[in-house]
Each structure stands twice: as structure tokens, then as C-alpha cells.
Amino acid sequence: MPDGNLHDLPLHAVEVEGAPIGERNPLCVTPSASLLRHRLGRSPETGFARALILADPEGDLPHARAEACLIGTLLPHAEVHTGGAATRRRLLERLGSEPYDVLHLACHYGVDRARPSRSAIRLADARLTVEDFLSVRLDASLVVVSGCETGAQQNRKGNELIGLTRALLHAGARAVIVSQWAVDDVSTALLMAVLYRELGRGRPAATALSAARSEVRAMSFRDAVARCERLRDLPADRRVAVRLGRDLARLRLRAGDTTGALEEIARLLPEAGHDTREHRALIDLRRQVRFQHGRLPAADYASPAFASPFFWAPFTLVGDWR
């Protein structure tokens, strides 16, 4: 149970004897003692079978869309809504009519630091604010909000926190996974893939998240590229595939493989269409890669792609007190 500024510290990333403590001891936190009192005594859940997934409502989060498609294959009964189908109206209707073990939202999150209750998840038709969740009934074992700064909160006197996390727990969620800073699209999609693979195997949320962080932290560029190629092939959408391919080219550039990055871009340009936003972004990336060509050390696909805590440590589990 953190206090004060410790609420903003990713405790799972603190090193003990050369390794993150969250890998040795899977961690969860509670915002306050008052909230813990309301959550004690809940019986253990039987698994994470039925899921409601909303992703990429504004059409600019290709990794979130691929992430949603993949999660839909990893859980036994997953209902997936992406793009214009990921609406506030649909979310509220589905939550009001069906029980779900997992609610997964892969969307932009707008943080209002002056009025935290007005912070909101941006869906295709409207915003869903922190305040709105106070009138929603969530009978879910786990809520995952996969976006930037979804765990942002205001610490008021008495160590009481105001933000999305607290609202979701008060609405009835047994546990919540939220981010503590602006996240990287690629590493987040890969982390979520491992998280849901482990949940699908019946592991508790704390253990599954710990395994996901550990796997992403150690993941080589070679493995990251291979997994991203599989993600790219999931959504049946050419524009999404082009944007995922652009991120693949960036990943190759980070590995020092400018030749591979240029080949990736050359394959994508005909698919991007002439003078589209995707085409212009690829031309700009090609310019950057060409500038680096011959200036970087030899390509190294064996080194870790996401060793920095920025990539593997942003997500925190709150509330799974088993």
C-alpha cells in the first residue's frame, strides 16, 4: 500500500540483487486502506474465460487493433469491437447485459490533471469519463486499460487518490491493470500478448503480468521482429498492416539493420497509396534510415530490444488481493 509520491513509483521495477523485484515476487498494490476494506472477502475467481474487448476506436492505434485480434484468439469466449464499432454506447450496453471476466480497453486516454474526474477514455462516439464509471456496475475479475497514463491520479489529503483506477475498483472490478506513463505501442502490444497467453493458461493476474514483464524485458530484437510480423498479419486491414510494417522498419533500425529497414519500407510503399498520410510517414522514415545507413555498428538482433524499464514496466496491477 504505497503512500504519497510512492504511488507513482513502479515498485515492481525496483532492482533487488540485480533483478526487478516484480520478477521474484509478483506484486499488486491498493490505493488506500479504505478501498481495501471494501474488497476483502471476495472469493477467488475461477478463470478468465469471457472477455469484452474494445480497441482502436479512432483508427490510429494499429498495434491496439492487432493486440485485440490476438487476445480474441487467446481467450475462450472473447467479444472484440474495433474502430467505429468500439463505442461508448456499445460498451455500456454490453456491460449492462452480460457478465464478463475481463474488460480490455485499448484506447487513447485523456488526462485532466486539474479535474481528474473529467479524465476520460476516448471511444468512437464519445468520451467515457472517470466520473461516468461511478454509475457503471462492473462485475469483472480484471479490467485492463491499455493506453498512455491510464493510471494517472491525483493524491489528495488523507492519501486518497482520484483517478480511473479508483473509479473502476469502486464500480466492482476485482483488479485493474493501468499504465503509469506514456507507453510504447510495440512493446505494449507484445506485453499484452504474453499477459493474455498466461491468463489463458489459468495463471493469476499478478503472476501473468510478472511473466509478461520478464519476457518483454529479455526479448531480443530477433524475437520481437518475428512476433511483430505475426501481429501484422492478424487484422484484415491493409492500412493497419502498413502502419504495423512501419513500426517493424523502426524496430530493424533500432537493431542497427538499416538495409533490412529500407527493404521493409520498399515493400510497404506500393501498399500505402500515393500521397496518403501513411505514404508520407514512410518517406520520412526512409529519409531517416538513409541518413543512418553506414553510420551505425553492425546489426545486432541478439541484443534485448526492450531492456529499459520504459518499455516493460509501465503497467501496474491494482487490487488483486489474493
Side-chain angles (χ1 to χ4, degrees), residues 27-32 35-48 95 100-103 133 136-145 164-178 199 203-207 316-322:
L27 298 176
C28 65
V29 299
T30 171
S32 66
L35 189 60
L36 176 61
R37 178 173 61 86
H38 291 291
R39 307 300 293 162
L40 289 173
R42 295 288 299 271
S43 60
E45 305 298 335
T46 57
F48 301 95
L95 291 177
Y100 294 95
D101 301 309
V102 176
L103 171 62
F133 273 107
V136 172
R137 178 59 190 167
L138 281 173
D139 187 19
S141 302
L142 179 66
V143 178
V144 180
V145 193
L164 179 62
T165 305
R166 188 182 183 92
L168 290 170
L169 292 170
H170 271 298
R174 178 175 173 81
V176 176
I177 292 177
V178 289
L199 291 176
R203 302 184 78 178
T207 308
T316 298
L317 175 67
V318 186
D320 188 12
W321 299 295
R322 269 184 282 181

Side-chain angles (χ1 to χ4, degrees), residues 13-270:
V14 175
E15 286 198 2
V16 176
E17 298 178 352
I21 191 172
E23 291 185 12
R24 187 188 71 183
N25 303 96
L27 298 176
C28 65
V29 299
T30 171
S32 66
S34 63
L35 189 60
L36 176 61
R37 178 173 61 86
H38 291 291
R39 307 300 293 162
L40 289 173
R42 295 288 299 271
S43 60
E45 305 298 335
T46 57
F48 301 95
R50 188 168 174 78
L52 176 63
I53 303 163
L54 278 72
D56 190 25
E58 298 179 343
D60 61 348
L61 295 172
H63 281 282
R65 188 177 293 234
E67 174 186 311
C69 294
L70 179 61
I71 294 168
T73 68
L74 293 173
L75 297 179
H77 307 288
E79 183 181 331
V80 180
H81 303 282
T82 61
T87 64
R88 181 182 189 274
R89 179 177 179 180
R90 174 168 276 120
L91 173 61
L92 296 178
E93 284 179 350
R94 301 310 294 153
L95 291 177
S97 62
E98 299 284 345
Y100 294 95
D101 301 309
V102 176
L103 171 62
H104 182 92
L105 303 172
C107 317
H108 287 297
Y109 182 64
V111 179
D112 188 332
R113 300 192 186 280
R115 297 180 61 194
S117 63
R118 302 303 299 166
S119 297
I121 295 168
R122 286 157 43 187
L123 295 167
D125 59 339
R127 299 160 72 249
L128 187 62
T129 68
V130 168
E131 191 173 24
D132 289 335
F133 273 107
L134 299 178
S135 60
V136 172
R137 178 59 190 167
L138 281 173
D139 187 19
S141 302
L142 179 66
V143 178
V144 180
V145 193
S146 177
C148 294
E149 298 185 283
T150 56
Q153 50 202 351
Q154 186 181 81
N155 192 343
R156 295 186 174 177
K157 290 181 179 180
N159 202 33
E160 294 296 331
L161 301 175
I162 306 298
L164 179 62
T165 305
R166 188 182 183 92
L168 290 170
L169 292 170
H170 271 298
R174 178 175 173 81
V176 176
I177 292 177
V178 289
S179 64
Q180 294 185 260
W181 54 79
V183 298
D184 175 74
D185 289 343
V186 177
S187 57
T188 295
L190 296 175
L191 185 143
M192 291 298 164
V194 181
L195 170 70
Y196 281 96
R197 182 194 71 197
E198 297 302 306
L199 291 176
R201 292 173 176 174
R203 302 184 78 178
T207 308
L209 182 57
S210 177
R213 293 193 197 108
S214 178
E215 192 164 319
V216 170
R217 186 172 76 92
M219 190 178 295
S220 68
F221 278 103
R222 182 177 294 105
D223 195 15
V225 165
R227 296 189 192 205
C228 283
E229 286 175 338
R230 290 195 292 271
L231 280 176
R232 180 184 56 187
D233 296 335
L234 284 172
D237 186 310
R238 178 192 57 80
R239 186 175 58 85
V240 172
V242 169
R243 295 195 64 179
L244 291 172
R246 192 176 76 204
D247 286 331
L248 258 173
R250 285 200 187 100
L251 199 57
R252 292 186 184 279
L253 177 61
R254 286 186 54 222
D257 183 9
T258 53
T259 300
L262 289 171
E263 290 173 353
E264 189 81 47
I265 293 168
R267 284 194 294 269
L268 294 169
L269 280 170

